[in-house]
């Protein structure tokens, strides 16, 4: 069986989750579900990043012990994953013993290969990003220096172990060249290339001014730099350092989904650490864009961070999942506006898809005694209608393989609109008296089309599409992509339809 390994970033537990975190994991979930539908054995990993200065400080601010604090905040990410319907196979926490063991094993391997040396770090550090910056990257306002992310930086001076990153510069450039799909989208790839070409310096990979981290083996005055610790999670979960582990077959990861803020860590440091330990690098890193809220940056100080749980409560889970991936091209920045969610829900889900299903299934109830008409021949008009539908699974598969979620939804809904055109022109309600045979054929064709839409939309809207497939009479073991090749037998009894989506009143 083909394997697929997909990951989300592991999220910092300094604060509770918001819509940005839900977004990255949602995209990963949709691809994981699609691959399973396509017969792959999937390993989908998510989790929380619990060490480092930023989390330690958040625990102090909350007046809590860091472990108790991370236990609590990590749980809120787990709750989010459950409420968003994510289908992850593992939820990793970096404070778990398995992860500490993997980090220490990787460290010792790098040390053994002379990829690490002890030195002294002096430079700029942003706790908010947990990142080191060169002076040339900073801007100064009112006497404070800021990183490009907007995070303030502070001068750090402490003994530190270094990773020989500079040594891997040429290897990295060669790797990017040979693997043009490693970094997507192209704009991000170009940024990384120019950063690496401008020259890499060795990377500080331990800290001594605080203790909340994985202790460096044989030198416990140092804790590992949180990004070395965090990135290692992707191999911890696959069983590292045990290459005989059951899950090691999933490595290298097929796609690491990340936001554009953390591209450098995933596409420079991570493949370099792995190459230095002679571990295969991941196949692809996709960096999506940034959500703003009603035109404003989401921030703690503005207090406008959107709680996904409240949105689920307000609009329902599947309309939210649909909207997030439909509204904005995956890779671009986007704005979260409630009016846009309402418009997509009402126009595309309730009107185009919901009404099509309801009209078709109601006619089958009323005019065909609730039984699915037999498989029928296609005439020329039907052939034209089905050309697009027959190609849909392959087209959607190609678009999802390129992480083009919005385009996948666009082609599916173009096909749904074509079916609305077909039902209007064929007017099966009028055929009842004039040509009952053709009426049955048209309804059967519409049913077949709906089965395709529901099947390919399952990864995006699992609950609602399960309900639609129930209404279409598709047995649970016939919901894979491959099952589309086998038509349902004519005469299958269909339950009376009920509405799939509700229209949302726009706020005035
Ligand atoms: O960076 N729009 O964790 P983090 C879109 N622990 N996506 C957003 C977003 C927004 N406004 N805000 C956050 C870390 N995200 C590290 C990762 S991985 C080995 C370690 C998403 O809690 C986006 O995916 O700051 C971003 O990369 C991630 O949350 C950052 O989460």
């Amino acid at each position: 069986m083909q394997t697929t390994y997909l990951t989300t970033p592991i999220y910092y537990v300094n604060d509770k989750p918001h819509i940005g975190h839900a977004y990255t994991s949602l995209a990963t979930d949709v691809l994981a579900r699609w691959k399973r539908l396509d017969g792959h054995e999937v390993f989908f990993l998510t989790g929380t990043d619990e060490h480092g200065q930023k989390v330690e400080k958040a625990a102090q601010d909350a007046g809590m012990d860091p472990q108790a604090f991370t236990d609590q905040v990590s749980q809120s990410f787990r709750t989010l994953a459950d409420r968003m319907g994510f289908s992850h196979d593992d939820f990793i926490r970096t404070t778990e013993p398995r992860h500490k063991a993997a980090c220490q094993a990787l460290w010792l391997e790098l040390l053994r290969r002379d990829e690490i040396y002890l030195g002294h770090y002096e430079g700029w550090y942003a706790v908010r990003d947990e990142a080191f910056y060169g002076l040339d990257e900073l801007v100064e306002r009112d006497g404070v220096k800021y990183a490009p992310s907007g995070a303030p930086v502070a001068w750090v001076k402490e003994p530190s172990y270094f990773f020989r990153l500079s040594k891997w510069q040429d290897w990295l450039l060669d790797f990017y060249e040979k693997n043009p799909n490693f970094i997507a989208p192209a704009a991000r790839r170009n940024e990384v290339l120019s950063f690496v070409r401008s020259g890499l310096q060795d990377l500080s990979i331990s800290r001594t001014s605080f203790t909340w981290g994985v202790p460096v083996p044989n030198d416990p005055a140092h804790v590992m730099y949180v990004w070395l610790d965090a990135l290692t999670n992707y191999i911890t979960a696959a069983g590292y350092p045990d290459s005989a582990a059951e899950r090691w077959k999933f490595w290298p990861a097929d796609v690491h989904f990340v936001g554009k803020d953390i591209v450098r860590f995933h596409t420079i440091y991570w493949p370099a650490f792995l190459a230095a330990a002679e571990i295969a690098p991941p196949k692809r890193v996709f960096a999506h864009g940034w959500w703003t809220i009603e035109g404003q940056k989401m921030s703690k100080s503005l207090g406008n961070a959107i709680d996904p749980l409240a949105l689920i409560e307000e609009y329902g889970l599947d309309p939210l999942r649909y909207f997030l991936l439909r509204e904005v091209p995956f890779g671009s920045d986007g704005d979260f506006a409630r009016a846009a969610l309402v418009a997509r829900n009402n126009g595309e889900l309730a009107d185009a898809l919901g009404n099509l299903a309801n009209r078709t299934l109601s006619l089958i109830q009323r005019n065909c005694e609730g039984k699915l008409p037999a498989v029928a021949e296609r005439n020329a008009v039907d052939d034209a209608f089905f050309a697009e539908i027959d190609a849909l699974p392959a087209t959607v598969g190609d678009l999802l393989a390129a992480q083009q979620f919005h385009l996948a939804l666009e082609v599916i809904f173009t096909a749904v609109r074509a079916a609305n055109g077909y039902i209007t022109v064929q007017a099966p309600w009028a055929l009842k008296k004039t040509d009952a045979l053709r009426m049955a054929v048209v309804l059967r064709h519409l049913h077949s089309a709906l089965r395709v839409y529901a099947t390919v939309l399952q990864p995006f809207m699992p609950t609602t599409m399960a309900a639609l497939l129930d209404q279409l009479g598709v047995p649970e073991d016939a919901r894979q992509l491959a099952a589309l090749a086998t038509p349902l037998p004519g005469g299958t009894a269909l339950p009376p339809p009920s509405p799939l989506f509700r229209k949302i009143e726009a706020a005035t």
Side-chain angles (χ1 to χ4, degrees):
M1 201 190 268
Q2 254 183 296
T3 61
T4 296
Y5 184 9
L6 304 173
T7 70
T8 74
I10 48 170
Y11 304 106
Y12 286 128
V13 288
N14 60 311
D15 204 357
K16 61 182 199 318
H18 60 60
I19 197 75
H21 306 115
Y23 181 58
T24 321
S25 298
L26 171 62
T28 317
D29 182 59
V30 168
L31 189 56
R33 286 174 181 272
W34 178 267
K35 290 289 179 187
R36 290 190 199 107
L37 216 54
D38 201 14
H40 287 218
E41 186 180 0
V42 172
F43 180 42
F44 166 13
L45 176 69
T46 190
T48 44
D49 186 356
E50 308 194 357
H51 290 131
Q53 223 171 339
K54 166 163 157 159
V55 171
E56 188 184 68
K57 182 168 180 315
Q60 278 161 2
D61 291 349
M64 287 174 80
D65 158 70
Q67 188 63 57
F69 178 74
T70 58
D71 287 349
Q72 184 182 312
V73 186
S74 177
Q75 184 54 45
S76 63
F77 279 89
R78 228 183 248 270
T79 303
L80 173 76
D82 291 343
R83 298 284 299 282
M84 288 290 299
F86 298 151
S87 60
H88 49 283
D89 300 291
D90 195 356
F91 187 104
I92 191 168
R93 299 183 53 190
T94 55
T95 47
E96 289 172 54
R98 63 168 168 164
H99 180 65
K100 288 187 189 166
C103 288
Q104 292 182 332
L106 179 62
W107 183 282
L108 289 172
E109 185 63 17
L110 293 172
L111 198 64
R112 191 176 71 74
R113 292 168 179 271
D114 190 33
E115 297 287 349
I116 290 179
Y117 62 92
L118 184 59
H120 203 91
Y121 181 77
E122 223 174 308
W124 297 102
Y125 192 79
V127 174
R128 204 170 88 191
D129 301 344
E130 295 282 19
F132 302 96
Y133 289 100
L135 184 61
D136 55 339
E137 295 182 277
L138 307 177
V139 291
E140 188 164 332
R141 274 193 311 272
D142 303 329
V144 182
K145 290 190 169 51
Y146 294 91
S149 61
V153 296
W155 186 253
V156 169
K157 189 177 171 188
E158 59 192 42
S160 174
Y161 284 91
F162 285 82
F163 170 68
R164 296 188 195 282
L165 183 62
S166 56
K167 180 180 138 184
W168 291 93
Q169 177 169 337
D170 291 340
W171 180 88
L172 281 167
L173 290 171
D174 185 56
F175 173 68
Y176 302 144
E177 171 125 12
K178 288 192 181 124
N179 298 279
N181 295 322
F182 175 61
I183 308 170
R188 300 280 97 81
R189 176 180 154 81
N190 295 338
E191 280 166 19
V192 171
L193 284 180
S194 69
F195 184 80
V196 175
R197 282 196 193 111
S198 72
L200 294 177
Q201 289 176 2
D202 289 351
L203 180 71
S204 164
I205 50 163
S206 75
R207 304 290 311 272
T208 45
S209 52
F210 63 94
T211 55
W212 184 238
V214 179
V216 166
N218 310 319
D219 197 351
H222 293 249
V223 291
M224 289 185 200
Y225 173 39
V226 67
W227 271 101
L228 172 58
D229 162 350
L231 289 161
T232 303
N233 93 87
Y234 302 130
I235 53 174
T236 303
Y240 185 80
D242 178 9
S243 56
E246 159 75 14
R247 281 179 179 168
W248 192 248
K249 68 178 177 204
F250 289 107
W251 189 260
D254 291 270
V255 188
H256 289 315
F257 283 89
V258 298
K260 65 180 184 180
D261 55 327
I262 55 176
V263 174
R264 196 182 282 188
F265 305 98
H266 282 82
T267 60
I268 302 175
Y269 303 164
W270 182 224
F273 294 151
L274 290 167
E278 271 191 53
I279 302 169
K283 293 186 199 151
R284 182 165 164 95
V285 175
F286 193 105
H288 65 67
W290 220 237
W291 281 97
T292 51
I293 304 299
E294 311 278 351
Q296 281 189 311
K297 200 177 149 132
M298 226 188 306
S299 85
K300 225 177 178 176
S301 49
L302 289 172
N304 64 348
I306 289 203
D307 175 4
L309 300 186
L311 287 179
I312 296 171
E313 203 62 41
E314 200 172 342
Y315 300 111
L317 175 57
D318 282 349
L320 176 65
R321 288 176 60 113
Y322 175 77
F323 171 75
L324 289 174
L325 292 175
R326 176 68 187 90
E327 183 68 6
V328 177
F330 200 64
S332 308
D333 292 340
D335 186 50
F336 186 94
R338 283 161 190 274
L341 193 161
V342 170
R344 295 264 180 212
N345 176 78
N346 292 358
E348 292 169 13
L349 299 181
D351 280 348
L353 180 59
N355 277 350
L356 177 73
N358 211 266
R359 283 208 282 178
T360 304
L361 293 171
S362 301
L363 284 169
I364 294 177
Q365 278 307 312
R366 264 204 314 276
N367 296 350
C368 312
E369 298 168 346
K371 296 209 172 64
L372 179 63
V375 180
E377 296 278 304
R378 297 173 180 180
N379 67 21
V381 175
D382 304 336
D383 270 338
F385 171 49
F386 273 105
E388 207 173 25
I389 295 166
D390 292 341
L392 210 51
T395 311
V396 171
D398 289 346
L399 290 166
L400 292 186
Q403 291 80 51
Q404 297 297 290
F405 299 97
H406 64 296
L407 291 181
L409 288 172
E410 198 171 298
V411 296
I412 297 168
F413 275 80
T414 302
V416 170
R417 274 193 295 275
N420 277 300
Y422 179 84
I423 196 172
T424 305
V425 172
Q426 298 299 316
W429 45 85
L431 288 169
K432 188 175 182 205
K433 292 205 178 84
T434 55
D435 188 349
L437 277 180
R438 177 66 188 160
M439 176 200 72
V441 169
V442 167
L443 290 176
R444 173 67 204 216
H445 287 339
L446 284 162
H447 180 282
S448 302
L450 281 163
R451 182 183 176 195
V452 174
Y453 307 147
T455 301
V456 300
L457 282 170
Q458 288 176 98
F460 295 91
M461 298 183 282
T463 313
T464 321
M465 290 307 108
L468 177 52
L469 287 163
D470 287 345
Q471 294 187 24
L472 292 168
V474 180
E476 284 189 15
D477 62 2
R479 296 181 180 186
Q480 298 274 102
L481 295 179
L484 286 172
T486 313
L488 289 193
T492 303
L494 304 185
S498 55
L500 297 165
F501 301 99
R502 65 182 175 90
K503 281 211 175 187
I504 303 167
E505 302 255 345
T508 44

